[in-house]
Amino acid sequence: MCSGNRSKELSKGGKSLGLKWGPGAVSTSVWGGARLCDVLQHCGVLMPKKRGVQYFVCCSGADKLEGAGKDAAPGSGPSSYGTSIPLEVAMDESRDVLLAYEQNGDLLTPDHGFPVRLIVPGFTGGRSVKWLNKIEISAEQSDNYYHLHDNRMLPSQVQDLDTAISEGWMSRPEFVINEMNVNSVICTPAHSQTLTIDPSNEDAAYSITGYAYSGTGKKIGRVEVSLDGGKIWKFCSVGYPAQPTKHGMYWSWCFWETRVDVMELVESSEIVVRAWDSAMNTQPENSSWNLLGNMNNCWYRVKIHQDDSADDPDAGQDERTISFEHPTQPGILTGGWLQTSQASEPESERELTLKLMHQESSSNLDLGDQLPSTPRLL
């Protein structure tokens, strides 16, 4: 999951930087590869014995992007994407950090990091470096431009990028995003979907579905849906597509479903969902705006609109239609009940830079002859 998942919803609190993600910056795959802890131990890496000493695993890829190094900026020349994770996470067998060369039973494709990429389950996707070509152990976190300028959740009082950089907010470790928070989203009804109710189905049940996820590896204990703004919650059935690991970790998303009476939808103005994990972490009712637009996990709301013709005395009384509206639409698409004029504004230079960083296709990346024809771990 990207730490910017659902960032587009934060526009109501002011313009945020970074990509404008809807609720689809998340997925699950079956990864195959070598455990990073095994590779590091093979190379002689040990955990420090002295308490209070922290080391980092710094990783970089073979891609060429604009800007790197703590003093660099967009336009400073081509460089690789890099980031770091704590050494204790990399060395912990229960965290399942991988040097992955397989995805869903096949070798990685170039789009997804061929020949080898890092996979850090539960962490923001920005830590899972593609096209991996360097691993270093350091007493300091990565000084790569993209590590220092993204995947951070700054306090709401930091209102602009110049302030964030000049006052040192970006480099403070307490604002680094690693583990993802609890989140859930409604998938059906879909945006703009309509439902016509007539005597043949007014006593029927309607299925509401979606996904939920927790980046801590904890199980989603329950998902709840409300049709009255959170006064009464209805439990959902929850199913995982994968079993927990031998250490009891739940790294995949889960899918949830509940059924409500059709007439309950007619009498409601919105559908709301929230999830809880096994440690009773849950989603807040309202979002928390931050400059980079990260970690939004407030209740997900789908508005229900009644067909105006229901009030038309000349219209038939045997049927009525309701429609559903999600808060936003993906990417540059317009629509959604939270839509603002910001969606049509030109992208800033920073947004374009971050788009390069998160590029899912290698077609615009100059990898040259750096990628070997077969996977090599060492």
Side-chain angles (χ1 to χ4, degrees):
M1 177 184 286
C2 177
S3 53
N5 192 43
R6 299 181 59 193
S7 62
K8 206 171 183 182
E9 296 172 41
L10 295 178
S11 61
K12 67 178 180 180
K15 185 172 175 58
S16 59
L17 303 178
L19 297 177
K20 298 299 180 283
W21 285 110
V26 57
S27 187
T28 293
S29 288
V30 178
W31 302 99
R35 295 191 306 183
L36 180 57
C37 62
D38 294 335
V39 175
L40 294 179
Q41 289 171 3
H42 178 79
C43 295
V45 177
L46 300 173
M47 288 294 298
K49 294 182 179 180
K50 187 177 180 180
R51 291 186 177 182
V53 176
Q54 187 174 31
Y55 284 85
F56 299 87
V57 180
C58 300
C59 301
S60 58
D63 47 338
K64 294 181 180 179
L65 302 173
E66 291 295 318
K70 76 176 123 179
D71 298 320
S76 63
S79 60
S80 64
Y81 176 82
T83 188
S84 58
I85 63 173
L87 179 60
E88 61 264 29
V89 172
M91 297 292 282
D92 185 347
E93 292 185 5
S94 71
R95 301 306 295 259
D96 298 308
V97 182
L98 282 182
L99 297 178
Y101 47 82
E102 292 180 347
Q103 182 180 15
N104 296 330
D106 295 321
L107 291 179
L108 288 178
T109 63
D111 282 2
H112 294 285
F114 175 86
V116 177
R117 68 172 295 168
L118 190 68
I119 291 293
V120 189
F123 274 33
T124 177
R127 305 290 171 239
S128 294
V129 178
K130 297 179 180 179
W131 312 291
L132 186 65
N133 73 346
K134 182 186 289 187
I135 299 175
E136 297 179 308
I137 308 301
S138 173
E140 304 291 338
Q141 65 173 322
S142 171
D143 67 354
N144 185 278
Y145 177 84
Y146 298 100
H147 178 79
L148 294 176
H149 291 79
D150 197 26
N151 293 307
R152 292 172 183 255
M153 187 170 179
L154 305 181
S156 58
Q157 63 264 32
V158 181
Q159 296 285 314
D160 61 82
L161 188 59
D162 289 340
T163 299
I165 295 175
S166 64
E167 296 184 2
W169 293 98
M170 287 291 198
S171 59
R172 294 175 62 171
E174 59 264 38
F175 303 127
V176 171
I177 297 171
N178 282 323
E179 288 182 321
M180 295 301 297
N181 48 18
V182 179
N183 219 328
S184 62
V185 164
I186 296 168
C187 295
T188 57
H191 180 73
S192 296
Q193 183 175 333
T194 61
L195 175 65
T196 299
I197 300 98
D198 58 36
S200 69
N201 66 0
E202 62 183 11
D203 294 326
Y206 184 86
S207 180
I208 303 172
T209 68
Y211 74 79
Y213 178 79
S214 173
T216 62
K218 294 180 174 61
K219 184 178 183 180
I220 293 295
R222 71 179 189 264
V223 178
E224 302 169 316
V225 163
S226 176
L227 297 177
D228 59 5
K231 296 178 183 178
I232 299 175
W233 295 92
K234 180 179 179 65
F235 280 12
C236 306
S237 60
V238 177
Y240 272 90
Q243 295 297 312
T245 70
K246 67 178 182 180
H247 298 289
M249 297 294 199
Y250 287 82
W251 295 129
S252 74
W253 57 6
C254 65
F255 303 114
W256 57 265
E257 179 181 13
T258 191
R259 297 178 70 80
V260 299
D261 293 338
V262 165
M263 295 309 296
E264 290 184 84
L265 295 175
V266 173
E267 297 166 359
S268 176
S269 61
E270 69 174 1
I271 309 170
V272 180
V273 67
R274 69 181 180 187
W276 302 70
D277 70 14
S278 59
M280 301 306 156
N281 299 305
T282 189
Q283 300 171 242
E285 180 176 357
N286 299 307
S287 61
S288 178
W289 183 90
N290 60 93
L291 180 64
L292 300 184
N294 288 327
M295 300 295 278
N296 180 33
N297 71 329
C298 63
W299 297 355
Y300 193 84
R301 302 173 184 269
V302 172
K303 300 296 185 180
I304 303 175
H305 302 293
Q306 309 294 328
D307 187 352
D308 293 338
S309 65
D311 299 324
D312 185 353
D314 296 326
Q317 299 299 307
D318 289 339
E319 67 176 41
R320 67 188 77 183
T321 300
I322 59 176
S323 61
F324 304 95
E325 186 178 23
H326 284 238
T328 64
Q329 284 293 280
I332 62 173
L333 297 179
T334 58
W337 59 266
L338 270 177
Q339 182 68 49
T340 68
S341 60
Q342 295 179 13
S344 59
E345 292 179 0
E347 293 175 306
S348 68
E349 183 179 20
R350 171 170 171 75
E351 288 171 322
L352 292 173
T353 301
L354 289 176
K355 184 170 291 185
L356 286 174
M357 185 191 74
H358 289 281
Q359 184 67 257
E360 283 298 324
S361 172
S362 62
S363 59
N364 294 325
L365 300 177
D366 181 13
L367 299 181
D369 298 324
Q370 299 181 59
L371 299 182
S373 58
T374 57
R376 293 200 300 269
L377 294 181
L378 291 175

